[in-house]
Amino acid sequence: DSGVTQTPKHLITATGQRVTLRCSPRSGDLSVYWYQQSLDQGLQFLIQYYNGEERAKGNILERFSAQQFPDLHSELNLSSLELGDSALYFCASSAGGWNEKLFFGSGTQLSVL
Amino acid sequence: GIQVEQSPPDLILQEGANSTLRCNFSDSVNNLQWFHQNPWGQLINLFYIPSGTKQNGRLSATTVATERYSLLYISSSQTTDSGVYFCAVEPVGNAGNMLTFGGGTRLMVKP
């Protein structure tokens, strides 16, 4: 168990809908990251938050947004969902957000039908 | 952006065998990590190793940063080692864990 908690584990929804994925980092970690894993794109970095502030952005679509709350948990919001958004979404955390070991949650499997 | 290539893409071993997985990257890095994705999809961090050599039980890793490659050694493999092994890097100049992942090596260990 990495100590990073993600909910829900599975999510099935329809095109055009909006969903929210939730992540609680390891105790004491200030940085939260979101990654997407799909068959065609592999594992891709989406976005990073450090102590409530957005710190780095990767290949995140404009339809997607995230935030980190004062208690350090994070939410990834996916809207106007398309079939191609079906993927495994991982949250990860690290202590300070610099070059250090990254710990991943068990992921949320999103299926858009 | 930085390119990360892993080889071999697939590997089948008999239990007890040893193996070496390779990760080549196209630019200088200040962050390199190895992960194991088990058959249930969980990503487990094996090593944070931007340079040098580390060992953890039957696993060890070596990164030669000047030559832009890293190796993961698995000795006396077990069926529980099955899964996909990913190398992930971040180029010098970035600050953080914006990792670029390789395509992975899919390992199957047969009893």
Side-chain angles (χ1 to χ4, degrees):
Chain A
D1 184 7
S2 67
V4 179
T5 304
Q6 286 189 249
T7 57
K9 291 194 184 304
H10 304 277
L11 200 47
I12 302 174
T13 189
T15 54
Q17 295 298 305
R18 172 189 169 94
V19 297
T20 298
L21 282 53
R22 184 188 168 99
C23 169
S24 294
R26 292 188 319 157
S27 177
D29 283 358
L30 297 179
S31 267
V32 169
Y33 311 76
W34 288 96
Y35 281 80
Q36 179 196 58
Q37 185 176 31
S38 62
L39 285 175
D40 53 346
Q41 299 288 333
L43 268 157
Q44 289 197 96
F45 169 76
L46 295 179
I47 197 164
Q48 176 197 0
Y49 280 81
Y50 173 75
N51 204 19
E53 299 291 327
E54 181 184 305
R55 189 161 183 274
K57 233 173 183 178
N59 298 321
I60 187 166
L61 300 172
E62 285 193 12
R63 299 183 286 108
F64 296 0
S65 65
Q67 54 184 326
Q68 186 180 27
F69 295 87
D71 67 352
L72 300 178
H73 91 271
S74 178
E75 292 180 357
L76 178 66
N77 299 296
L78 315 177
S79 62
S80 303
L81 285 168
E82 303 174 0
L83 296 177
D85 297 328
S86 296
L88 186 53
Y89 290 84
F90 284 106
C91 170
S93 75
S94 70
W98 282 264
N99 298 325
E100 56 198 358
K101 217 172 183 181
L102 204 58
F103 295 89
F104 280 79
S106 55
T108 293
Q109 180 67 58
L110 174 67
S111 298
V112 183
L113 305 178
Chain B
I2 192 168
Q3 303 299 311
V4 184
E5 292 186 5
Q6 291 186 242
S7 59
D10 296 280
L11 188 57
I12 300 175
L13 298 175
Q14 209 63 38
E15 201 168 26
N18 303 325
S19 62
T20 301
L21 282 56
R22 187 176 179 103
C23 171
N24 292 333
F25 39 95
S26 62
D27 208 344
S28 298
V29 300
N30 56 12
N31 186 347
L32 188 148
Q33 304 188 37
W34 281 96
F35 295 88
H36 173 218
Q37 188 167 32
N38 64 25
W40 295 271
Q42 190 165 9
L43 274 168
I44 299 161
N45 194 307
L46 300 175
F47 294 102
Y48 168 77
I49 186 167
S51 64
T53 297
K54 288 187 177 179
Q55 180 153 8
N56 184 3
R58 296 181 296 104
L59 302 181
S60 65
T62 294
T63 297
V64 184
T66 53
E67 297 188 20
R68 300 182 184 172
Y69 73 89
S70 183
L71 301 174
L72 178 69
Y73 305 95
I74 304 174
S75 65
S76 304
S77 58
Q78 301 176 358
T79 56
T80 52
D81 295 332
S82 296
V84 183
Y85 289 80
F86 290 102
C87 166
V89 304
E90 183 169 36
V92 170
N94 285 11
N97 269 322
M98 297 170 54
L99 298 175
T100 297
F101 280 75
T105 291
R106 185 174 298 275
L107 173 65
M108 179 184 295
V109 180
K110 293 187 171 182

